[in-house]
Amino acid sequence: MVFSASNFVLIICKDAAGVAGNIFAFGLFVSPAHTFRRIIRNHATEEFSGLPYIYALLNCLICTWYGSPVVSSDNILVMTVNSVGAVFQLVYITLFIIYAEKTKQVRMLGLLAAVCGLIAIIVLGSLQITDAATRRLVVGLLSCASLISMFASPLFIINLVIQTQSVEFMPFYLSLSTFLMSTSFLLYGIFNFDPFVYVPNGVGTILGIVQLALYFYYKDSSKEDSREPLLVSYE
């Protein structure tokens, strides 16, 4: 009876953390909206890069596959958040292709095809693994590596903040959303005893703390202006 009660509490805590992570992730998904309003208004992608959205799509698709019941039966909230994220990335990529120059359009279409091909290889390849535990291990390692590299992408911005002593290119709400989402899924992974979730999100939590600390340290020395971030990135 005591075991059942404690197990029930663990499930409630896990689900609560997962739902919170889904909510906070929405802040990351909509963060490029300001950039794309500018692109639509100017009918040009200017100097913005489409690579972050391509890589984010790949990351979301890999994590969606890991969270699916075919790979891991107890990670449905991982699947939901990343499937929604994949839809957002497809919308951003579509808009980028529409307003990009011809050479950028060709490049983006090629990268999009490469992502689709890679995901097809991962899905079909993992389905050939008959042992469920091995399949989860293989896809989990890919998901973990993808997430860690995604969370590590703001290191460029962190270095830029330190060099310029300005938080101009590190939006506060983007850093806050990253921290809150990572912390939520860190707890989700711990409650679910899933290292493929809590390890990469632990890295994301640490980097989120670093970004917030730098923001509050350098915010007073930053000059307010209307320029856009150099790179918009998220999970």
Side-chain angles (χ1 to χ4, degrees):
M1 182 66 69
V2 175
F3 175 77
S4 298
S6 61
N7 192 47
F8 177 75
V9 171
L10 197 64
I11 292 173
I12 292 298
C13 291
K14 181 196 76 170
D15 290 344
V19 170
N22 275 252
I23 294 172
F24 293 135
F26 188 77
L28 294 177
F29 296 150
V30 300
S31 62
H34 182 64
T35 297
F36 279 90
R37 278 199 298 268
R38 170 171 166 174
I39 288 174
I40 293 171
R41 183 177 64 247
N42 296 336
H43 292 85
T45 57
E46 301 176 25
E47 298 303 317
F48 290 107
S49 172
L51 289 177
Y53 312 107
I54 289 288
Y55 189 69
L57 174 64
L58 176 62
N59 175 73
C60 286
L61 291 175
I62 292 175
C63 293
T64 297
W65 180 236
Y66 174 70
S68 69
V70 177
V71 178
S72 54
S73 59
D74 53 353
N75 274 319
I76 191 68
L77 289 173
V78 171
M79 185 182 74
T80 57
V81 68
N82 284 285
S83 58
V84 171
V87 172
F88 271 89
Q89 303 322 306
L90 282 172
V91 171
Y92 294 142
I93 291 170
T94 301
L95 289 172
F96 193 93
I97 291 173
I98 291 173
Y99 292 104
E101 300 172 355
K102 187 67 175 180
T103 53
K104 284 186 177 182
Q105 287 179 336
V106 173
R107 185 186 182 193
M108 288 292 289
L109 287 170
L111 290 172
L112 185 58
V115 167
C116 294
L118 183 56
I119 289 299
I121 291 173
I122 292 173
V123 171
L124 295 176
S126 60
L127 287 176
Q128 301 306 308
I129 304 174
T130 55
D131 182 66
T134 304
R135 182 191 303 139
R136 179 167 181 160
L137 175 64
V138 171
V139 179
L141 287 173
L142 290 173
S143 172
C144 187
S146 177
L147 272 174
I148 290 177
S149 61
M150 178 64 71
F151 282 128
S153 61
L155 288 174
F156 167 76
I157 301 298
I158 290 174
N159 183 58
L160 184 65
V161 169
I162 295 174
Q163 287 183 344
T164 61
Q165 297 187 6
S166 169
V167 295
E168 173 189 350
F169 300 115
M170 190 174 69
F172 171 73
Y173 289 108
L174 185 59
S175 300
L176 181 62
S177 296
T178 300
F179 168 71
L180 292 175
M181 187 207 68
S182 300
T183 303
S184 297
F185 276 105
L186 168 63
L187 295 174
Y188 176 89
I190 291 174
F191 291 138
N192 203 28
F193 305 103
D194 192 336
F196 299 125
V197 175
Y198 67 69
V199 169
N201 282 285
V203 173
T205 299
I206 293 171
L207 289 175
I209 292 172
V210 171
Q211 290 182 68
L212 290 174
L214 287 174
Y215 181 87
F216 286 110
Y217 185 79
Y218 288 116
K219 69 173 183 176
D220 292 334
S221 61
S222 298
K223 295 181 178 179
E224 295 291 334
D225 59 39
S226 59
R227 285 186 288 177
E228 306 272 356
L230 287 178
L231 175 68
V232 179
S233 61
Y234 55 88
E235 181 193 35

